[in-house]
């Protein structure tokens, strides 16, 4: 399917576990972004990537790791999940660095127990 | 420190009437403002934007108003339709959208048939 897809859509994990959220886009967009959405905070940028093998921190990067070995994939890893990382995570992609031109995936709801 | 605020978490409006969603910001360096619409289990989608050189931008049933002196923007939807029921996020950026987005916390709009 064309577009941007995230997997899994829902995930429950335990504190201290490593978990990876996947993001795949078929447009060959250069730019990809990860956000988290929490009550009382709106969406906040975690990491972004300008191209394969180029990543940079956003507003709330602590506790997260990203990689981008291929243009179409941008996985987000929580190396040791904490309850404060319970959130809805959105991936987005764009042809340009302007975040407002990005298209969002459907989101992954992650619960850390 | 929440630089973009949506003080109404929810709003209910009768179908056919006007919906007015409000957003306040504190950073005078913001010069580009956007509204996003988000349905449940979907990612946000861009709705309408306005640059600080304007005070109004219209797109069909949607109009965004910007009051720079009050650091306030609003989204008007006329007439409101059931399909407008969603969460609406306002967002702001500097350098006319070329810098990162700062999102508000969202307002859930419910259109009553």
């Amino acid at each position: 399917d064309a577009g941007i897809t995230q997997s899994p859509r829902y995930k429950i994990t335990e504190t201290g576990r490593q978990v990876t959220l996947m993001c795949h886009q078929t447009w060959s967009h250069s730019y990809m972004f990860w956000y988290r959405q929490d009550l009382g905070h709106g969406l906040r940028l975690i990491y972004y990537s300008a191209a394969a093998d180029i990543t940079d921190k956003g507003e709330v990067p602590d506790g997260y790791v990203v990689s981008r070995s291929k243009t179409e994939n941008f996985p987000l890893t929580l190396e040791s999940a904490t309850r404060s990382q319970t959130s809805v995570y959105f991936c987005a992609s764009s042809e340009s660095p302007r975040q407002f031109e990005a298209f969002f995936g459907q989101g992954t709801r992650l619960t850390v127990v | 420190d929440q630089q973009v605020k949506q003080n109404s978490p929810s709003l209910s409006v009768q179908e056919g009437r006007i919906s007015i969603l409000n957003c306040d910001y504190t950073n005078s360096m913001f010069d580009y403002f956007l509204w996003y619409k988000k349905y449940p289990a979907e990612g946000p989608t861009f709705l309408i934007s306005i640059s600080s050189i304007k005070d109004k931008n219209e797109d069909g049933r949607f109009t965004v108003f910007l009051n720079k002196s009050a650091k306030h923007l609003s989204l008007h939807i006329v007439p409101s339709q059931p399909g407008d029921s969603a969460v609406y996020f306002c967002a702001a950026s500097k350098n006319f959208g070329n810098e990162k987005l700062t999102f508000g916390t969202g307002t859930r709009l419910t259109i009553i048939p």
Side-chain angles (χ1 to χ4, degrees):
Chain A
D1 289 337
I4 182 165
T5 54
Q6 294 182 233
S7 60
R9 295 294 310 279
Y10 303 91
K11 177 75 177 178
I12 300 174
T13 192
E14 294 178 340
T15 302
R17 297 261 193 178
Q18 181 181 82
V19 60
T20 296
L21 309 184
M22 304 301 294
C23 180
H24 175 78
Q25 52 104 355
T26 60
W27 294 303
S28 298
H29 285 165
S30 295
Y31 293 85
M32 296 188 75
F33 310 88
W34 273 107
Y35 296 87
R36 58 179 291 174
Q37 181 199 347
D38 304 289
L39 279 175
H41 287 282
L43 280 81
R44 292 179 291 175
L45 183 66
I46 305 170
Y47 268 96
Y48 64 98
S49 169
D53 298 321
I54 301 175
T55 62
D56 210 344
K57 295 178 180 179
E59 186 182 351
V60 288
D62 293 344
Y64 302 95
V65 174
V66 293
S67 61
R68 191 148 177 228
S69 57
K70 292 185 179 181
T71 299
E72 62 266 29
N73 297 324
F74 191 36
L76 177 74
T77 298
L78 289 68
E79 292 191 302
S80 178
T82 65
R83 289 197 180 89
S84 66
Q85 292 177 308
T86 292
S87 186
V88 180
Y89 291 86
F90 289 101
C91 178
S93 73
S94 172
E95 287 183 337
S96 83
R98 292 184 288 273
Q99 292 175 45
F100 69 87
E101 294 183 349
F103 294 92
F104 284 82
Q106 294 175 296
T108 294
R109 182 175 293 276
L110 176 69
T111 302
V112 183
V113 298
Chain B
D1 178 33
Q2 193 71 25
Q3 296 186 66
V4 178
K5 300 177 185 178
Q6 294 176 255
N7 292 317
S8 298
S10 62
L11 176 68
S12 294
V13 174
Q14 207 77 32
E15 181 179 358
R17 301 283 186 120
I18 183 171
S19 294
I20 300 176
L21 294 92
N22 294 303
C23 180
D24 297 295
Y25 61 96
T26 57
N27 192 333
S28 58
M29 298 300 291
F30 289 143
D31 56 18
Y32 196 77
F33 305 90
L34 308 94
W35 285 94
Y36 284 83
K37 180 177 182 178
K38 184 187 173 308
Y39 290 121
E42 294 185 13
T45 55
F46 168 75
L47 188 57
I48 192 168
S49 64
I50 188 167
S51 163
S52 61
I53 62 175
K54 293 186 171 184
D55 53 20
K56 176 182 173 181
N57 188 26
E58 194 171 350
D59 183 3
R61 295 186 299 114
F62 302 91
T63 303
V64 57
F65 294 91
L66 176 63
N67 182 332
K68 291 186 289 293
S69 61
K71 294 191 179 66
H72 177 82
L73 65 152
S74 60
L75 174 68
H76 292 210
I77 306 173
V78 184
S80 300
Q81 299 175 354
D84 297 329
S85 293
V87 176
Y88 290 79
F89 292 97
C90 66
S93 177
K94 302 174 190 175
N95 196 16
F96 295 102
N98 286 301
E99 297 193 21
K100 75 173 190 72
L101 293 178
T102 299
F103 285 85
T105 52
T107 296
R108 181 178 301 278
L109 175 65
T110 302
I111 304 303
I112 304 163

